[in-house]
Amino acid sequence: MNINVKTTQTTLLVGLIVLGLSSCVTVKEYQKNRINDAEMELSARKSEKFEQNFYLYREGAAGANGGKSGGGCGCN
Amino acid sequence: MKKICISVGLLLSLWRAGYGQTVDLPAYEKRRLSLQEVNLVSGYYQQDGNNSAVTGGIGSEQLTDFAQSIDLVLKATDRLNRQHTLTFDMNIDHYTSASSDKIDPLTVSSASRSDTHIYPSIAWTVQNSAKRTTRGIALSYSTEYDYKSYGINLSFAKASADNNRELSLKAGAFFDTWKVILPAELRPEGYGSGAHGDRDPIDYKPRNSYNASLSLSQVINKRLQVLLTVEPAFQQGLLSTPFHRIYFQDGAETVERLPGSRLKLPIGLRLHYFMGDKVIVRAFYRYYIDDWGMQAHTINLETPIKLTSFVSVSPFYRFSHQSAVRYFAAYGQHKSTDTYYTSDYDISDFTSQFIGTGIRLAPPGGLLGISHWQSVELRYGHYVRSTGMVANSLTLLTKLK
């Protein structure tokens, strides 16, 4: 049987996301001491700022990580 | 210009969407604008390799860069109890590059042997707790010797009633201009070098970039939260670098030529998990595809470990693989009949790895007894690319609150 690898990867990813979201529980504000920890913030760290810049120049892929996705500099 | 006006108008109308709804006025808690946070970031970056695009895919890629950044965060609360945040961000970096000196090897100092890149930005966000919305607008400017950019970014976010889910929309545009500096031997008669004092004319070409971003964050449980981001981007204009040389199979020479548009689609998934009481796992995966034939997979894993209540270390590892754009070929491999050609190894097929660690100190009473000096973080990373290029990066972050 000829299995399309890309289709399988996409199905797995979507499946994992759906499974993850469906297993959500309601977390009250007073239960968020860990979620609200500075290291848990859902963004790149400030100390990664210049690293994201050099990825933008030295690699072709960019975006979806909190940094630029192109433009604003003479980069890729 | 008309296109630019239409784009800005569309972005502003998106930002305005949502106004006009009635609001239940909460208690009056107006607070004046005050400085909340200052972040100082200093960076040193150094790289070396042997695939410079300036010399057609061969030659030194040696480069050093010193970067400085300061951002000021100011906050205020208005009569409707909305929190306004103003962020001023000023960045300067200065680099010296061996390959840029080859643009014009006949002169003592060529146009881009060293350069200073200055890029300030200002952002304003308004957070309405009653409606659980956040709106924002940001303006940016960037200038290098041969490149200028004006940027605008608008954002809107809406959180769920329990604040465990947030949907965020962003739209942005950059309106950039290249100063077309050509390699010395490829300049037409009477074409300027771009150097200071040279009165010969030189071309300027536009490059415009538009991007949109859709993000969904979700708290899964007390220890785990995820963020899914889809960020399509479209670029048009001069997308090649005008001083990158190309050497054909027949020995002829020209400058890099790439299509006038590029559509990019990155999809990122971030997962942060608090393990036990001391370890946090920050995982990030990105799939990327564009219409130049490039596909890429990037994985980043960082694990901050809280050694004590005020000292933490953050080892990290990043792996990335990208395929080459279909217009790439090495030095002397392009055919002169090709329509597009590049020997820029930054968009070639390669695997890269970045490994390092950070250490963060954040004592409860402030550093060295200075209560406003909240934390300091030192971060080092070593980058290797399968093309042979290596780089080192050192960053120092100081936070004042």
Side-chain angles (χ1 to χ4, degrees), chain B residues 306-323:
Chain B
K306 294 174 187 287
L307 298 177
T308 69
S309 57
F310 61 91
V311 179
S312 65
V313 291
S314 304
F316 61 86
Y317 175 71
R318 180 182 185 271
F319 174 88
S320 187
H321 174 76
Q322 67 177 46
S323 61

Side-chain angles (χ1 to χ4, degrees), chain B residues 45-66:
Chain B
Y45 170 81
Q46 167 272 329
Q47 69 168 50
D48 203 0
N50 281 304
N51 296 111
S52 168
V54 177
T55 38
I58 55 169
S60 175
E61 289 177 273
Q62 195 177 54
L63 183 145
T64 54
D65 184 86
F66 290 95

Side-chain angles (χ1 to χ4, degrees), chain A residues 34 39 43 49 51 59 64, chain B residues 69 231 277 282 379 383:
Chain A
R34 289 191 173 88
E39 300 281 17
S43 60
K49 185 175 194 173
E51 290 166 14
E59 297 181 355
Chain B
S69 163
E231 191 175 357
D277 290 327
R282 293 168 57 95
R379 187 175 166 95
Y383 181 82

